[in-house]
Amino acid sequence: MKNKKRIILMAGMLALVVVLSACGRGEVTAQSEGFWDRYIVYNFAQAIKALSFGNAGIGIILFTLIIRIILLPLMHFQNKSMRKTQDLQPQLKALQQKYSSRDPETQQQLRDEQQRLYAENGVNPYIGCLPMLVQMPILMALWQSIQRTPDLTQGKFLWLELGSRDPYFILPILAAIFTFLSTYLSSMSQLEPNPTTKIMNFAMPLMILLMGINLASGLSLYWVVSNAFQVVQTLLINNPFKIRREREELARIQREKERNLQKALNPKKKRNKKR
């Protein structure tokens, strides 16, 4: 299930690159035709300009923060679902060992047992893809609103021309760093190390870096702010250090219970030690 989610994520990011590279260059106005241009891209541009206070970069930052706050309940729901999925990993691993045969019948039994386990614990393994799918059209609309609105294309922020790529690659590097921190912190809460997760921890930042180098710096600015927000959100809401401490405490309590049970079942051994 996890591999499928990661494949979907990677495919989505690659699709974004293709779509962004092929999208139109014409100016978007209130007279633009088509639902996407007239109601999505145009209104994104108007929202950014309304939040700019004379500087389009400030508008992008404020717009990004508003989007992240709107998505906060969805992201929190995703984090809870991911944690439930992670807590089920020992049971899922036991099922994989039980149904280790590769014949179709056994593999179908494995899938049925996994679905039953998910249903009993109220877990949807595909829900983790939802925030990514929601953010894809946001990224496309943001990029097009910057590229196809003269006030934003010609806008400046610090050393940046928002409609052009960052000449010093500072924002793409920062975006990659925050992406790495976000994915790494999320992976820290996993019960068992996963080779695929380790690959994703480096593949996603690299992809963001390559896209940031080649696309408008306004989009890199969005990524920097969005992923920095994600890092802070993870530390406050889904803190992996806190999760690890909670699991260690639960494990300690379980070990203590088992020791007490062993003592209760072997009272003679306890008396012999006193003698």
Side-chain angles (χ1 to χ4, degrees), residues 164-178:
S164 303
R165 60 185 184 178
D166 184 347
Y168 306 114
F169 309 132
I170 294 175
L171 282 188
I173 291 172
L174 286 176
I177 290 172
F178 282 121

Side-chain angles (χ1 to χ4, degrees), residues 16 37 78 88 144 182 202 232 249 269 274:
L16 176 62
D37 285 354
Q78 177 205 21
L88 291 178
Q144 290 194 35
S182 175
F202 293 96
V232 174
E249 180 63 18
K269 186 181 292 188
K274 287 184 179 180

Side-chain angles (χ1 to χ4, degrees), residues 3 24 29 31 43 45 50 53 64 75 100 124 130 136 143 145 147 203 215 243 253 258-259 268:
N3 290 337
T29 67
Q31 285 72 46
N43 285 322
F53 302 103
T64 303
M75 299 300 292
S100 58
N124 185 337
L130 187 57
M136 281 298 165
W143 190 85
S145 65
Q147 288 291 95
L215 297 177
I243 291 173
I253 293 173
E258 291 175 356
R259 282 196 297 267
K268 292 182 179 180

Side-chain angles (χ1 to χ4, degrees), residues 101-221:
S101 177
R102 306 304 299 176
D103 64 274
E105 184 179 350
T106 303
Q107 288 300 298
Q108 183 59 49
Q109 288 180 316
L110 173 60
R111 288 190 290 270
D112 292 342
E113 287 294 318
Q114 287 175 332
Q115 290 299 325
R116 181 186 60 77
L117 183 63
Y118 286 135
E120 288 177 352
N121 291 272
V123 172
N124 185 337
Y126 296 104
I127 202 69
C129 300
L130 187 57
M132 180 272 294
L133 295 175
V134 170
Q135 289 188 72
M136 281 298 165
I138 293 174
L139 286 173
M140 289 187 283
L142 177 64
W143 190 85
Q144 290 194 35
S145 65
I146 294 171
Q147 288 291 95
R148 302 172 66 186
T149 305
D151 290 346
L152 300 180
T153 303
Q154 299 163 12
K156 296 183 183 295
F157 181 70
L158 300 177
W159 69 93
L160 303 167
E161 291 185 6
L162 297 173
S164 303
R165 60 185 184 178
D166 184 347
Y168 306 114
F169 309 132
I170 294 175
L171 282 188
I173 291 172
L174 286 176
I177 290 172
F178 282 121
T179 301
F180 172 77
L181 289 174
S182 175
T183 55
Y184 179 73
L185 287 171
S186 296
S187 68
M188 283 179 63
S189 60
Q190 293 182 354
L191 285 171
E192 298 178 1
N194 188 311
T196 307
T197 300
K198 290 181 179 179
I199 293 173
M200 288 296 296
N201 285 344
F202 293 96
M204 284 299 298
L206 180 60
M207 184 172 292
I208 292 293
L209 176 63
L210 294 176
M211 292 175 65
I213 288 173
N214 292 288
L215 297 177
S217 58
L219 186 58
S220 294
L221 181 60

Side-chain angles (χ1 to χ4, degrees), residues 239-256:
N239 191 312
F241 303 103
K242 181 181 177 182
I243 291 173
R244 283 184 168 184
R245 288 195 299 268
E246 290 175 351
R247 285 174 176 163
E248 289 171 358
E249 180 63 18
L250 288 173
R252 186 193 65 79
I253 293 173
Q254 184 62 31
R255 288 194 300 269
E256 186 67 26

